[in-house]
Coordinates of all heavy atoms in Angstrom, one line a residue:
M1 N 15.4 1.1 -6.2 CA 14.8 2.3 -5.7 C 14.2 2.0 -4.3 O 13.8 0.9 -4.0 CB 13.6 2.7 -6.6 CG 12.9 3.9 -6.2 SD 11.8 4.5 -7.4 CE 11.1 5.9 -6.4
Q2 N 14.3 3.0 -3.4 CA 13.8 2.8 -2.1 C 12.6 3.7 -1.9 O 12.4 4.7 -2.6 CB 14.9 3.3 -1.0 CG 16.0 2.3 -1.0 CD 16.9 2.6 0.2 OE1 16.7 3.5 1.0 NE2 18.0 1.9 0.3
C3 N 11.7 3.3 -0.9 CA 10.5 4.1 -0.6 C 10.9 5.5 -0.2 O 11.9 5.8 0.4 CB 9.8 3.5 0.5 SG 9.0 1.9 0.1
R4 N 10.1 6.5 -0.6 CA 10.3 7.9 -0.2 C 9.8 8.0 1.2 O 8.7 7.6 1.6 CB 9.4 8.8 -1.1 CG 9.7 10.3 -0.9 CD 9.0 11.2 -1.8 NE 7.6 11.0 -1.9 CZ 7.0 10.3 -2.9 NH1 7.8 9.8 -3.9 NH2 5.7 10.0 -2.9
S5 N 10.7 8.6 2.1 CA 10.4 8.7 3.5 C 9.1 9.5 3.7 O 8.8 10.5 3.0 CB 11.6 9.4 4.1 OG 11.3 9.6 5.5
G6 N 8.2 9.0 4.6 CA 7.0 9.7 5.0 C 5.9 9.6 4.0 O 4.9 10.3 4.1
C7 N 6.0 8.7 3.0 CA 4.9 8.6 2.0 C 3.8 7.7 2.4 O 2.7 8.2 2.8 CB 5.5 8.1 0.6 SG 4.3 8.0 -0.7
G8 N 3.9 6.4 2.4 CA 2.9 5.5 2.8 C 1.7 5.3 1.8 O 0.7 4.7 2.2
A9 N 1.8 5.9 0.6 CA 0.7 5.8 -0.3 C 0.4 4.3 -0.7 O -0.8 4.0 -0.8 CB 1.0 6.6 -1.6
C10 N 1.4 3.5 -0.8 CA 1.1 2.1 -1.2 C 0.5 1.3 0.0 O 0.0 0.2 -0.2 CB 2.4 1.4 -1.6 SG 3.7 1.4 -0.4
C11 N 0.4 1.9 1.2 CA -0.2 1.2 2.3 C -1.6 1.9 2.6 O -2.2 1.5 3.6 CB 0.7 1.3 3.6 SG 2.3 0.6 3.4
T12 N -2.0 2.7 1.7 CA -3.3 3.4 1.9 C -4.1 3.3 0.7 O -5.3 2.9 0.8 CB -3.0 4.9 2.2 OG1 -2.2 5.1 3.3 CG2 -4.3 5.7 2.5
A13 N -3.6 3.6 -0.5 CA -4.4 3.6 -1.7 C -5.0 2.3 -2.1 O -6.2 2.2 -2.4 CB -3.6 4.2 -2.9
P14 N -4.3 1.2 -2.2 CA -4.8 0.0 -2.7 C -5.6 -0.8 -1.7 O -5.4 -0.7 -0.5 CB -3.6 -0.8 -3.2 CG -2.5 -0.3 -2.4 CD -2.8 1.1 -2.0
S15 N -6.6 -1.6 -2.2 CA -7.3 -2.5 -1.3 C -6.4 -3.7 -1.1 O -5.5 -4.1 -2.0 CB -8.6 -3.0 -2.0 OG -8.4 -3.6 -3.2
I16 N -6.6 -4.4 0.0 CA -5.8 -5.7 0.3 C -6.9 -6.7 0.7 O -7.6 -6.5 1.7 CB -4.8 -5.5 1.3 CG1 -3.7 -4.4 0.9 CG2 -4.1 -6.8 1.7 CD1 -2.7 -4.1 1.9
S17 N -7.0 -7.8 0.0 CA -8.1 -8.7 0.3 C -7.7 -9.8 1.2 O -8.5 -10.5 1.8 CB -8.6 -9.4 -1.0 OG -7.5 -10.0 -1.7
S18 N -6.4 -9.9 1.5 CA -5.9 -10.9 2.4 C -5.8 -10.4 3.8 O -5.7 -9.2 4.0 CB -4.5 -11.5 2.0 OG -3.6 -10.5 1.8
P19 N -5.8 -11.2 4.8 CA -5.7 -10.8 6.2 C -4.4 -10.0 6.5 O -3.4 -10.4 6.0 CB -5.8 -12.1 7.1 CG -6.4 -13.1 6.2 CD -5.9 -12.7 4.8
I20 N -4.5 -9.0 7.3 CA -3.4 -8.3 7.8 C -3.5 -8.3 9.4 O -4.6 -8.2 9.9 CB -3.5 -6.8 7.4 CG1 -3.6 -6.7 5.9 CG2 -2.3 -6.0 7.9 CD1 -4.0 -5.3 5.4
P21 N -2.4 -8.5 10.1 CA -2.5 -8.5 11.6 C -3.2 -7.2 12.0 O -2.9 -6.1 11.6 CB -1.1 -8.5 12.0 CG -0.3 -9.2 11.0 CD -1.0 -8.8 9.7
G22 N -4.3 -7.4 12.7 CA -5.1 -6.2 13.2 C -6.3 -5.9 12.2 O -7.1 -5.1 12.5
M23 N -6.2 -6.4 11.0 CA -7.3 -6.2 10.0 C -7.5 -7.6 9.3 O -7.1 -7.8 8.2 CB -6.8 -5.2 8.9 CG -6.5 -3.8 9.5 SD -5.9 -2.7 8.2 CE -7.4 -1.7 8.0
P24 N -8.2 -8.5 10.0 CA -8.4 -9.8 9.5 C -9.2 -10.0 8.2 O -9.1 -11.0 7.5 CB -9.2 -10.5 10.7 CG -9.7 -9.4 11.5 CD -8.9 -8.2 11.3
Q25 N -9.9 -8.9 7.9 CA -10.7 -9.0 6.6 C -9.9 -8.2 5.5 O -10.5 -8.0 4.4 CB -12.1 -8.3 6.8 CG -12.9 -9.0 7.9 CD -13.1 -10.4 7.6 OE1 -13.4 -10.9 6.5 NE2 -13.0 -11.2 8.7
G26 N -8.7 -7.9 5.7 CA -7.9 -7.0 4.8 C -8.3 -5.6 5.0 O -8.8 -5.2 6.0
K27 N -8.2 -4.8 3.9 CA -8.5 -3.4 4.0 C -9.1 -2.9 2.7 O -8.6 -3.3 1.6 CB -7.4 -2.5 4.5 CG -6.2 -2.4 3.5 CD -5.3 -1.3 3.9 CE -4.8 -0.5 2.8 NZ -5.7 0.3 2.0
P28 N -10.0 -2.0 2.7 CA -10.5 -1.4 1.5 C -9.6 -0.3 1.0 O -8.7 0.2 1.7 CB -11.9 -0.7 1.9 CG -11.8 -0.6 3.4 CD -10.8 -1.6 3.9
A29 N -9.7 0.0 -0.3 CA -8.9 1.0 -0.9 C -9.2 2.4 -0.2 O -10.3 2.7 0.2 CB -9.3 1.2 -2.4
G30 N -8.1 3.1 -0.1 CA -8.2 4.4 0.5 C -8.1 4.5 2.0 O -8.1 5.5 2.6
V31 N -8.1 3.3 2.7 CA -8.0 3.2 4.1 C -6.5 2.9 4.5 O -5.9 2.0 4.0 CB -8.9 2.1 4.7 CG1 -8.7 1.8 6.1 CG2 -10.4 2.4 4.4
R32 N -6.0 3.7 5.5 CA -4.7 3.5 5.9 C -4.5 2.2 6.6 O -5.4 1.8 7.5 CB -4.3 4.7 6.9 CG -2.9 4.6 7.4 CD -2.7 5.8 8.4 NE -1.5 5.7 9.1 CZ -0.4 6.4 8.7 NH1 -0.4 7.2 7.6 NH2 0.8 6.2 9.4
C33 N -3.5 1.4 6.3 CA -3.3 0.1 6.9 C -3.0 0.3 8.4 O -2.2 1.2 8.7 CB -2.2 -0.6 6.2 SG -1.8 -2.2 7.0
I34 N -3.5 -0.5 9.2 CA -3.2 -0.4 10.7 C -1.7 -0.7 11.0 O -1.2 -0.3 12.0 CB -4.1 -1.4 11.5 CG1 -4.2 -1.0 12.9 CG2 -3.7 -2.8 11.2 CD1 -5.3 -1.8 13.7
Q35 N -1.1 -1.4 10.1 CA 0.4 -1.7 10.3 C 1.3 -0.6 9.7 O 2.5 -0.8 9.6 CB 0.7 -3.0 9.6 CG 0.0 -4.2 10.3 CD 0.4 -4.3 11.8 OE1 1.4 -3.9 12.2 NE2 -0.5 -4.9 12.6
L36 N 0.7 0.5 9.3 CA 1.5 1.7 8.8 C 1.8 2.6 10.0 O 0.9 3.1 10.6 CB 0.8 2.4 7.7 CG 1.5 3.6 7.0 CD1 2.8 3.0 6.3 CD2 0.6 4.3 6.0
G37 N 3.1 2.6 10.4 CA 3.5 3.4 11.5 C 3.4 4.9 11.3 O 3.2 5.4 10.2
D38 N 3.5 5.6 12.4 CA 3.5 7.1 12.4 C 4.5 7.7 11.4 O 4.3 8.8 10.9 CB 3.6 7.7 13.8 CG 2.5 7.4 14.7 OD1 1.4 7.1 14.2 OD2 2.6 7.5 15.9
D39 N 5.6 6.9 11.2 CA 6.7 7.4 10.3 C 6.4 6.9 8.9 O 7.3 7.1 8.0 CB 8.0 6.9 10.8 CG 8.1 5.4 10.8 OD1 7.1 4.7 10.6 OD2 9.2 4.9 11.1
A40 N 5.2 6.4 8.6 CA 4.8 5.9 7.3 C 5.7 4.7 6.8 O 5.9 4.5 5.6 CB 4.8 7.0 6.2
R41 N 6.2 3.9 7.8 CA 6.9 2.7 7.5 C 6.1 1.5 7.9 O 5.4 1.6 8.9 CB 8.2 2.7 8.2 CG 9.2 3.8 7.8 CD 9.9 3.3 6.5 NE 11.0 4.2 6.2 CZ 11.6 4.2 5.0 NH1 11.1 3.4 4.1 NH2 12.5 5.1 4.8
C42 N 6.2 0.4 7.2 CA 5.5 -0.8 7.6 C 6.0 -1.4 8.9 O 7.2 -1.7 9.0 CB 5.6 -1.8 6.4 SG 4.7 -3.4 6.8
L43 N 5.1 -1.6 9.8 CA 5.5 -2.2 11.1 C 5.8 -3.7 11.1 O 6.4 -4.2 12.0 CB 4.4 -1.9 12.2 CG 4.1 -0.4 12.4 CD1 2.9 -0.2 13.3 CD2 5.4 0.3 13.0
I44 N 5.3 -4.3 10.0 CA 5.5 -5.8 9.9 C 6.4 -6.1 8.6 O 6.4 -7.2 8.2 CB 4.2 -6.5 9.9 CG1 3.3 -6.1 8.7 CG2 3.5 -6.4 11.2 CD1 2.0 -6.9 8.5
F45 N 7.1 -5.2 8.2 CA 8.0 -5.4 7.0 C 9.0 -6.6 7.4 O 9.6 -6.6 8.4 CB 8.9 -4.1 6.7 CG 9.7 -4.2 5.5 CD1 9.1 -3.9 4.3 CD2 11.0 -4.7 5.5 CE1 9.8 -4.1 3.1 CE2 11.7 -4.8 4.4 CZ 11.1 -4.5 3.1
G46 N 9.0 -7.5 6.5 CA 9.9 -8.7 6.7 C 9.3 -9.8 7.6 O 9.9 -10.8 7.8
H47 N 8.1 -9.5 8.2 CA 7.5 -10.5 9.1 C 6.6 -11.4 8.2 O 6.0 -11.0 7.2 CB 6.6 -9.7 10.0 CG 6.0 -10.5 11.1 ND1 4.9 -11.2 11.0 CD2 6.4 -10.6 12.4 CE1 4.6 -11.8 12.1 NE2 5.5 -11.5 13.0
P48 N 6.6 -12.7 8.6 CA 5.8 -13.7 7.8 C 4.3 -13.4 7.8 O 3.7 -13.8 6.8 CB 6.0 -15.0 8.6 CG 7.0 -14.8 9.7 CD 7.3 -13.3 9.7
A49 N 3.8 -12.6 8.7 CA 2.4 -12.3 8.6 C 2.0 -11.1 7.6 O 0.9 -10.9 7.4 CB 1.9 -11.9 10.0
R50 N 3.1 -10.5 7.1 CA 2.8 -9.5 6.1 C 2.2 -10.1 4.8 O 2.7 -11.1 4.3 CB 4.2 -8.8 5.7 CG 4.0 -7.6 4.8 CD 5.4 -7.0 4.6 NE 5.3 -5.8 3.8 CZ 6.3 -5.5 2.9 NH1 7.3 -6.3 2.7 NH2 6.1 -4.4 2.1
P51 N 1.1 -9.5 4.3 CA 0.5 -10.1 3.1 C 1.5 -10.2 1.9 O 2.3 -9.3 1.7 CB -0.6 -9.1 2.8 CG -0.9 -8.5 4.1 CD 0.4 -8.4 4.8
V52 N 1.3 -11.3 1.2 CA 2.2 -11.5 0.0 C 2.0 -10.4 -1.0 O 3.0 -9.9 -1.6 CB 1.8 -12.9 -0.6 CG1 2.5 -13.0 -2.0 CG2 2.1 -14.0 0.3
V53 N 0.8 -9.8 -1.1 CA 0.6 -8.7 -2.1 C 1.5 -7.5 -1.7 O 2.0 -6.8 -2.5 CB -0.9 -8.4 -2.2 CG1 -1.4 -7.7 -1.0 CG2 -1.1 -7.4 -3.4
C54 N 1.7 -7.3 -0.4 CA 2.5 -6.2 0.1 C 4.0 -6.4 -0.2 O 4.6 -5.5 -0.7 CB 2.3 -6.0 1.6 SG 0.6 -5.5 2.0
S55 N 4.4 -7.6 0.1 CA 5.9 -7.9 -0.2 C 6.2 -7.9 -1.7 O 7.3 -7.7 -2.0 CB 6.3 -9.1 0.5 OG 5.5 -10.2 0.2
G56 N 5.2 -8.2 -2.5 CA 5.4 -8.2 -3.9 C 5.4 -6.8 -4.6 O 5.9 -6.6 -5.7
L57 N 4.9 -5.8 -3.9 CA 4.8 -4.5 -4.4 C 6.1 -3.8 -4.2 O 6.6 -3.6 -3.0 CB 3.7 -3.7 -3.7 CG 3.3 -2.3 -4.2 CD1 2.9 -2.4 -5.7 CD2 2.3 -1.7 -3.4
Q58 N 6.8 -3.5 -5.2 CA 8.1 -2.8 -5.1 C 8.1 -1.4 -5.6 O 7.4 -1.1 -6.5 CB 9.1 -3.6 -6.0 CG 9.3 -5.1 -5.5 CD 9.9 -5.2 -4.1 OE1 10.9 -4.5 -3.8 NE2 9.3 -6.0 -3.3
P59 N 8.8 -0.5 -4.9 CA 8.8 0.9 -5.3 C 9.3 1.1 -6.7 O 10.3 0.4 -7.1 CB 9.7 1.6 -4.3 CG 10.4 0.5 -3.6 CD 9.7 -0.7 -3.8
S60 N 8.7 2.0 -7.4 CA 9.2 2.4 -8.8 C 9.0 3.9 -9.0 O 8.2 4.5 -8.3 CB 8.5 1.6 -9.9 OG 7.1 2.0 -9.9
A61 N 9.8 4.4 -9.9 CA 9.6 5.9 -10.2 C 8.2 6.2 -10.6 O 7.7 7.2 -10.2 CB 10.7 6.3 -11.2
E62 N 7.6 5.4 -11.4 CA 6.2 5.6 -11.9 C 5.2 5.6 -10.7 O 4.4 6.5 -10.6 CB 5.9 4.6 -12.9 CG 4.5 4.9 -13.6 CD 4.2 3.9 -14.6 OE1 4.6 2.7 -14.5 OE2 3.5 4.3 -15.6
M63 N 5.3 4.6 -9.9 CA 4.4 4.4 -8.8 C 4.6 5.5 -7.7 O 3.6 6.0 -7.2 CB 4.5 3.0 -8.2 CG 3.6 2.8 -7.0 SD 3.7 1.1 -6.3 CE 5.2 1.2 -5.5
C64 N 5.8 5.7 -7.3 CA 6.1 6.6 -6.2 C 6.0 8.0 -6.6 O 5.8 8.9 -5.7 CB 7.5 6.3 -5.6 SG 7.6 4.6 -5.0
A65 N 6.2 8.3 -7.9 CA 6.2 9.7 -8.4 C 7.1 10.6 -7.6 O 8.1 10.1 -7.0 CB 4.8 10.2 -8.4
D66 N 6.8 11.9 -7.5 CA 7.6 12.8 -6.8 C 7.0 13.4 -5.5 O 7.5 14.3 -4.9 CB 8.1 13.9 -7.7 CG 7.0 14.7 -8.3 OD1 5.8 14.4 -8.0 OD2 7.3 15.7 -9.1
S67 N 5.8 12.9 -5.2 CA 5.1 13.4 -4.0 C 4.1 12.3 -3.6 O 3.7 11.5 -4.4 CB 4.4 14.7 -4.3 OG 3.3 14.5 -5.2
T68 N 3.7 12.4 -2.3 CA 2.6 11.5 -1.8 C 1.3 11.7 -2.6 O 0.7 10.7 -3.0 CB 2.5 11.6 -0.3 OG1 3.7 11.3 0.3 CG2 1.4 10.7 0.2
P69 N 0.8 12.9 -2.8 CA -0.4 13.0 -3.6 C -0.3 12.4 -5.0 O -1.3 11.8 -5.5 CB -0.6 14.5 -3.7 CG 0.1 15.1 -2.4 CD 1.3 14.2 -2.3
A70 N 0.8 12.5 -5.6 CA 1.0 12.0 -7.0 C 1.0 10.4 -6.9 O 0.4 9.8 -7.7 CB 2.3 12.5 -7.6
A71 N 1.7 9.9 -5.9 CA 1.7 8.4 -5.7 C 0.3 7.9 -5.4 O -0.1 6.9 -5.9 CB 2.6 8.1 -4.6
M72 N -0.5 8.6 -4.5 CA -1.8 8.3 -4.2 C -2.7 8.3 -5.5 O -3.5 7.3 -5.7 CB -2.5 9.2 -3.2 CG -2.0 9.0 -1.8 SD -2.5 7.4 -1.0 CE -4.3 7.7 -0.9
A73 N -2.5 9.3 -6.3 CA -3.3 9.4 -7.6 C -3.0 8.2 -8.5 O -3.9 7.6 -9.1 CB -3.0 10.7 -8.3
F74 N -1.7 7.8 -8.6 CA -1.3 6.7 -9.5 C -1.9 5.4 -9.0 O -2.5 4.6 -9.7 CB 0.2 6.6 -9.6 CG 0.7 5.5 -10.4 CD1 0.9 5.5 -11.7 CD2 1.0 4.3 -9.7 CE1 1.3 4.4 -12.5 CE2 1.4 3.2 -10.5 CZ 1.6 3.3 -11.9
L75 N -1.7 5.2 -7.7 CA -2.2 3.9 -7.1 C -3.7 3.8 -7.1 O -4.3 2.7 -7.3 CB -1.6 3.7 -5.7 CG -0.1 3.4 -5.7 CD1 0.5 3.7 -4.3 CD2 0.1 2.0 -6.1
T76 N -4.4 4.9 -6.9 CA -5.9 4.9 -6.9 C -6.3 4.6 -8.3 O -7.3 3.9 -8.5 CB -6.4 6.3 -6.4 OG1 -6.0 6.5 -5.1 CG2 -7.9 6.4 -6.5
R77 N -5.7 5.2 -9.3 CA -6.0 4.9 -10.7 C -5.8 3.4 -11.0 O -6.6 2.8 -11.6 CB -5.2 5.8 -11.7 CG -5.6 5.5 -13.1 CD -5.0 6.6 -14.1 NE -5.4 6.3 -15.4 CZ -4.7 5.5 -16.3 NH1 -3.6 4.9 -15.9 NH2 -5.1 5.3 -17.5
L78 N -4.7 2.9 -10.6 CA -4.4 1.5 -10.8 C -5.4 0.6 -10.1 O -5.9 -0.4 -10.6 CB -3.0 1.1 -10.2 CG -2.4 -0.2 -10.5 CD1 -2.3 -0.5 -12.0 CD2 -1.1 -0.4 -9.9
E79 N -5.8 1.0 -8.9 CA -6.9 0.3 -8.1 C -8.2 0.3 -8.9 O -8.8 -0.8 -9.1 CB -7.1 0.9 -6.8 CG -8.2 0.3 -5.9 CD -7.9 -1.0 -5.3 OE1 -6.7 -1.4 -5.1 OE2 -8.9 -1.8 -5.0
D80 N -8.5 1.4 -9.5 CA -9.8 1.6 -10.2 C -9.7 0.7 -11.5 O -10.7 0.1 -11.9 CB -10.0 3.0 -10.6 CG -10.4 3.9 -9.4 OD1 -10.8 3.3 -8.4 OD2 -10.3 5.1 -9.6
L81 N -8.6 0.6 -12.2 CA -8.4 -0.1 -13.4 C -8.4 -1.6 -13.2 O -8.8 -2.4 -14.1 CB -7.1 0.3 -14.1 CG -7.1 1.7 -14.7 CD1 -5.7 2.0 -15.2 CD2 -8.1 1.8 -15.9
T82 N -8.1 -2.1 -12.0 CA -8.0 -3.5 -11.7 C -9.2 -4.0 -10.9 O -9.2 -5.2 -10.6 CB -6.7 -3.8 -11.0 OG1 -6.6 -3.1 -9.8 CG2 -5.5 -3.5 -11.8
R83 N -10.1 -3.1 -10.5 CA -11.3 -3.5 -9.8 C -12.2 -4.4 -10.7 O -12.5 -4.0 -11.8 CB -12.0 -2.3 -9.3 CG -13.2 -2.7 -8.4 CD -13.9 -1.4 -7.8 NE -12.9 -0.7 -7.0 CZ -12.7 0.6 -7.0 NH1 -13.4 1.3 -7.9 NH2 -11.8 1.1 -6.3
P84 N -12.7 -5.5 -10.2 CA -13.6 -6.3 -11.0 C -14.9 -5.6 -11.3 O -15.4 -4.8 -10.4 CB -13.9 -7.6 -10.1 CG -12.8 -7.5 -9.0 CD -12.4 -6.1 -8.9
S85 N -15.4 -5.8 -12.5 CA -16.7 -5.1 -12.8 C -17.8 -5.8 -12.1 O -17.8 -7.0 -11.8 CB -16.9 -5.3 -14.3 OG -15.9 -4.6 -15.0
A86 N -18.8 -5.0 -11.8 CA -20.0 -5.5 -11.0 C -20.9 -6.2 -11.9 O -21.0 -6.1 -13.1 CB -20.7 -4.4 -10.3

């Protein structure tokens, strides 16, 4: 499966705890990654500086759903379910 054009939910919804070029502390959930281009494509795709967690995330019908809002909802729920308890 390929990413849906113009989506970018996987680069916005989840938190990333590892450094990203331009975001040395990673990024919190719900914040658009600085490396997400205007066309909603990763600007560092295939680059060694791309976080391992990003390259490990593969598109799937369940995750990508049929719209960006649905993908955001799925990924936000996954983020909530995997957040460590305080």
Side-chain angles (χ1 to χ4, degrees):
M1 181 171 175
Q2 292 191 1
C3 292
R4 187 177 48 263
S5 180
C7 181
C10 61
C11 300
T12 305
S15 61
I16 299 175
S17 58
S18 56
I20 303 165
M23 299 178 101
Q25 304 302 315
K27 68 168 224 58
V31 172
R32 183 181 172 96
C33 179
I34 197 168
Q35 296 298 334
L36 186 61
D38 291 339
D39 61 354
R41 295 277 189 198
C42 179
L43 298 173
I44 57 171
F45 188 86
H47 190 276
R50 185 175 181 220
V52 172
V53 68
C54 297
S55 55
L57 188 62
Q58 298 297 312
S60 70
E62 184 178 34
M63 179 178 73
C64 299
D66 59 359
S67 68
T68 299
M72 285 291 294
F74 177 86
L75 288 162
T76 298
R77 181 170 181 270
L78 188 61
E79 176 74 22
D80 291 344
L81 289 172
T82 58
R83 183 174 300 130
S85 300

